[in-house]
Amino acid sequence: MEKPDIFEAEKTEWIQGPSERSRMKTFFSPSLPDCFTLLIDVPPGETLARHEEPLFEVGYVLSGSCTCGEGAEYPAGTFFFSPKGVTHGPFRSAEGCLLLCFKFDR
């Protein structure tokens, strides 16, 4: 019987994020190779570039807020889903934010 993969976020090192000043923690499951989770820390005033999403993405704003493109501001508690292949962004955060993103390929 398979066992779940367990990670302690506090013990996972921060690495370079998707922009110059952002950082992230990445959690990969050996039992689910096409599925991983990102915890992205976006500092105040940072922008994450517009990009094509290579996988399906489900995200949640844990703290702070951000905008996507020219859209509305997404405060903490906002949940989003991006289909595989969609182009979205740039993501901007005036006050900084913490994002939790699940990426997977059906």
Side-chain angles (χ1 to χ4, degrees), residues 41-87:
D41 182 26
V42 182
E46 187 70 357
T47 297
L48 307 182
R50 183 172 171 80
H51 62 282
E52 182 177 327
E53 200 55 62
L55 299 169
F56 294 98
E57 177 181 57
V58 176
Y60 186 75
V61 182
L62 291 168
S63 65
S65 66
C66 65
T67 60
C68 180
E70 301 304 318
E73 189 161 338
Y74 303 123
T78 302
F79 173 86
F80 60 88
F81 174 80
S82 298
K84 181 178 180 178
V86 73
T87 298

